Amino acid sequence: MRIQQVIELRVHGVSGTPPEDLLDRPDVMLLDGDKRAGFYRSTNPADVNDIYESRPGDTVGRLHGPYLEGYAWGGLTSGSAFRALWLLLLPFALLNVAPRMRPADPAEPGRAHALRMYLIWLLCRLLALSSTVVFVMAFVGVGVDLIGWQCDRVTSCDTGPAWSDSLLLEHTAPHRMLAGAALPLLVIGLLWYIGGRTIKRYEQVGVIAGLRAGDTVKKSEPPGLGSTWMWRNEAPVRRLRAAHLQTAIGVVVAFVGRASGGWEGDVGTVVGIAVIAVAVLMLPVPNFTTPQPARVWTWLTATCWLALLGAAAALIVRLGWVTHRLRSNGAGLPGYGATAMWLLVAELVLALVLLAVVVAAQVAAAPQKGFGADGPRPGAAGIGTWVLSIMAVFIGAVFTAGVYLYAAGWLHSKHTLIPRPSDITPDHPSFAVPEVIKDAGYSYAVAVLIAAGVVVLAIFEAAVVVWLINDRSPLIVAGSGATDYGVQWSSTSKRKKAILRAMWLGRVVDIAAPPLTALMGAGAVLSVFVAGALVAEQTVGWTRVTDYLDRQRDLQAYGAYAVVLTLLLLVVLGYYTFRKRALRRSVGILWDLASFWPRLSHPLAAPCYAERAVPDLVERARLHTDNGYGLVLAAHSQGTVLSAAVVMQLRRHDELEPEHAIVPKLALLTFGCVLRRLYGRFFPAYFGAPALDAVNDAFAPATDAPVQTTRWRNLWRYTDYLGGPVTVGPPPVVQPPWHAVLPTDPASDGLGGLHIDSHLVDPPFDPRPGSTDVPKPRRHSDFWKDPEFQRAVIFLALTIP
């Protein structure tokens, strides 16, 4: 196509790039969409094309590219500082991502593979449901146990502020139980509200007609990127959300019922346990998590809600109208400690079974072949599903324990905000704290010490390597500097060392997984150790380990402080991550990675922005191609993942409606690409070599195309700490830098013969002509400020038939 017939659609990455920066234009206007996700162009008619103005010393002149449009989706994952509160639900996010990290499919999938996939999803969903229970247990412990039950017998349950003394000490025990039960119910209500609100904003977004008439899904495993159902998950998310919220309320009703006594209490206990059992039994049923509507689940959900409402009403009547003392026997809330302990044991058993299934799946997985060079090797040794799951179990347990211990110290002390360590674990505790809670605080303190040691060692090693950096240092690609800079590289100047350090830092992410996996493994070992000691104490009376742990009161107290401090740091980090672009570039990839996947494991995790972004881009591509235009998708960082998903959806659309084919009018430009380096390693079942091969096949040249090369180009740099090549690595290999002279010149060959990867030099060795400022590495940003970027856009535009 001619340049005038092509539209360049830019899609930004993790930093939540404003539309002005995305288009590199001072004034832009919203064409379609909204502030959370919308399409923009320049308001200046003379500036609506992608133009590169040459600078002194440039080897190319002014470049005039296609019509420029931008898709800014940063509002889906950033913006309001209140989004930082999602980090308090970190275990939910980890368990939602965990099944997506499953190993790649075998070369010839069969019944054994289908069974393994079913078990992986089922076990992850059971762990997700248990994580919701653990989360609610924290607030049940504070509200129902400490306030509603134990403050009745504690003589020093005095926080100091008048409002809290009035709440705790001037009411009868039944009324205090009602007030305490309100705390977990308010938290559950908040989860209900934000869950429903995000479903309307994300999962309810539709897709074009050709994809709505797609495949029928009868299996419980979620479909792949090319399925018409991949981004249509409103029905299963609503069902899972109802099951989790009913389970959470069932926990509260069961504990309050057991403490209340009378026939109303018995009804509450039975109903609460029954609702939890129904939720557990629904998860293994295949069509419960499929996207098709099913009336039976609607009726069952409604029945559970009515039962909970009736039981709660009976308990309110009993506790609101009687004035007797509750049956406090000098111990904690009946069943609370035992439930917490056996819940932890159940989670660890599920995690061990999951480990066995994941290892079996990794052994059977097919090697990553079929696109460029072999690889990449799976991240986290191929057991990332288990690693994330056990990390979520550990974090959930210690968060619950820390909140409980800190609240107990606060209620007992005279200090308004910050209790002393002796208030949390005094020699003669005023509260009956369950052993599992105290030991979890100890475990977290030990885990923090281990993590601090690993971090200190890593920083020391990195400092030594950076100080002594040279061409043969670890992580430096041999020959990369000489290939990029030629004779300039033979010098021993400070500039050479600065560039080497930038190259080294650009590779650190490739070695970050092993120490993180080791830390998670340490948390798993601690969890199993504590759970085993508690089970031994309860079943055979062996108390040597638990007695030792009980004597570590200082560590338990500091563990509680560490949990609360961790929660505060998560919120603060999240606040600045969502508000500061510089921080978004460095840590935002973790958040965007976690919230990319549909909420089909844990429905209360952070909302899936791709449920909105992918349909937006699919619909936009259809609009432009139906109007006779070609389209170059120019995607950066996380935008490359969205674009790959869009391409797979459009391929399926073309199969369903070949008379309205869209993909032949598309080309793809990726830069700062995370498809192979991150997603291909950690999500091989979705972004492994076969998936990248499928994306490449979509851009195979037509027989009458002016240039016989794929309509996919990938720009990458050695200094990029997230992106990289798509046909080789990690680690990358030496490739001559791409400096096209004419728009029709292909990129340098050499990486599998695919003509896809094009290496850019970063940073320049010398200052630009007329300047004394030495250019800093651009690393993962500002690709469109290189003339090679506009060259690539023009080249791809001319390959569209």
Side-chain angles (χ1 to χ4, degrees), residues 534-555:
L534 291 169
V535 171
E537 179 184 27
Q538 294 292 323
T539 55
V540 299
W542 189 63
T543 62
R544 180 173 298 179
V545 174
T546 53
D547 288 344
Y548 170 77
L549 294 178
D550 195 50
R551 292 193 296 269
Q552 312 306 311
R553 295 190 179 277
D554 288 341
L555 278 180

Side-chain angles (χ1 to χ4, degrees), residues 371-434:
F371 183 76
D374 292 347
R377 292 185 298 176
I383 58 172
T385 294
W386 177 80
V387 169
L388 283 194
S389 298
I390 199 65
M391 183 179 180
V393 169
F394 180 75
I395 291 177
V398 298
F399 277 13
T400 296
V403 170
Y404 186 104
L405 288 171
Y406 195 88
W410 183 77
L411 289 170
H412 169 64
S413 71
K414 299 290 184 179
H415 303 279
T416 304
L417 292 177
I418 305 177
R420 296 166 298 186
S422 60
D423 294 321
I424 294 179
T425 55
D427 293 333
H428 302 287
S430 297
F431 291 105
V433 179

Side-chain angles (χ1 to χ4, degrees), residues 11-17 21-22 73 502-503 505-507 509 581-590 592-593 635-641 670-679 714-726 760-763 776-786 789:
V11 185
H12 65 72
V14 299
S15 60
T17 307
D21 293 347
L22 174 64
W73 54 273
M503 291 180 172
L505 289 172
R507 290 282 321 284
V509 70
R581 286 187 55 210
L583 197 57
R584 282 281 291 160
R585 289 193 184 102
S586 55
V587 303
I589 183 64
L590 299 176
D592 288 354
L593 182 150
H636 175 237
S637 189
Q638 192 70 12
T640 64
V641 183
T670 54
F671 44 101
C673 181
V674 297
L675 284 175
R676 183 182 181 106
R677 190 177 184 183
L678 293 182
Y679 279 77
N714 178 60
L715 308 179
W716 65 279
R717 301 164 173 157
Y718 288 117
T719 57
D720 191 339
Y721 47 80
L722 291 177
V726 294
L760 305 181
V761 176
D762 180 64
K776 296 180 179 179
R778 287 177 172 169
R779 304 183 189 277
H780 192 60
S781 305
D782 295 337
F783 278 84
W784 43 72
K785 294 183 179 179
D786 280 335
F789 177 88

Side-chain angles (χ1 to χ4, degrees), residues 231-527:
W231 311 108
R232 298 165 59 188
N233 298 292
E234 180 185 356
V237 171
R238 286 192 183 277
R239 291 183 200 136
L240 287 168
R241 169 174 165 263
H244 279 247
L245 294 177
Q246 288 171 354
T247 299
I249 296 177
V251 170
V252 180
V253 169
F255 277 115
V256 174
R258 186 170 182 185
S260 299
W263 68 266
E264 299 96 337
D266 294 338
V267 169
T269 303
V270 171
V271 169
I273 295 174
V275 168
I276 296 171
V278 169
V280 173
L281 294 174
M282 284 193 299
L283 292 180
V285 180
N287 72 342
F288 179 70
T289 52
T290 54
Q292 280 90 357
R295 187 170 298 178
V296 63
W297 302 120
T298 303
W299 284 105
L300 186 57
T301 298
T303 302
C304 290
W305 282 124
L306 289 174
L308 287 172
L309 182 62
L315 290 173
I316 290 173
V317 170
R318 175 172 177 78
L319 294 174
W321 290 95
V322 301
T323 58
H324 64 77
R325 294 173 60 86
L326 296 178
R327 297 169 296 172
S328 178
N329 58 2
L333 182 69
Y336 184 81
T339 301
M341 185 194 73
W342 290 110
L343 180 59
L344 175 61
V345 172
E347 286 188 313
L348 293 176
V349 170
L350 288 173
L352 290 175
V353 176
L354 179 63
L355 176 61
V357 177
V358 170
V359 169
Q362 176 59 27
V363 171
Q368 293 290 291
K369 295 183 178 180
F371 183 76
D374 292 347
R377 292 185 298 176
I383 58 172
T385 294
W386 177 80
V387 169
L388 283 194
S389 298
I390 199 65
M391 183 179 180
V393 169
F394 180 75
I395 291 177
V398 298
F399 277 13
T400 296
V403 170
Y404 186 104
L405 288 171
Y406 195 88
W410 183 77
L411 289 170
H412 169 64
S413 71
K414 299 290 184 179
H415 303 279
T416 304
L417 292 177
I418 305 177
R420 296 166 298 186
S422 60
D423 294 321
I424 294 179
T425 55
D427 293 333
H428 302 287
S430 297
F431 291 105
V433 179
E435 287 294 328
V436 66
I437 296 291
K438 292 189 289 186
D439 294 341
Y442 167 82
S443 299
Y444 192 64
V446 175
V448 169
L449 292 175
I450 294 174
V454 171
V455 169
V456 169
L457 288 176
I459 292 175
F460 176 77
E461 182 181 1
V464 171
V465 172
V466 169
W467 179 259
L468 302 176
I469 195 80
N470 58 62
D471 289 297
R472 297 177 299 279
S473 295
L475 303 185
I476 297 296
V477 179
S480 55
T483 304
D484 278 2
Y485 300 102
V487 296
Q488 293 174 311
W489 200 247
S490 59
S491 68
T492 57
S493 64
K494 292 182 179 179
R495 180 60 176 166
K496 177 180 176 179
K497 279 207 166 187
I499 294 174
L500 281 171
R501 286 169 182 152
M503 291 180 172
W504 185 86
L505 289 172
R507 290 282 321 284
V508 168
V509 70
D510 297 328
I511 61 171
L516 289 176
T517 303
L519 287 175
M520 296 174 194
V525 171
L526 284 170
S527 300

Side-chain angles (χ1 to χ4, degrees), residues 585-608:
R585 289 193 184 102
S586 55
V587 303
I589 183 64
L590 299 176
W591 177 259
D592 288 354
L593 182 150
S595 54
F596 170 77
W597 299 102
R599 297 184 286 188
L600 288 179
S601 181
H602 203 304
L604 302 177
C608 170

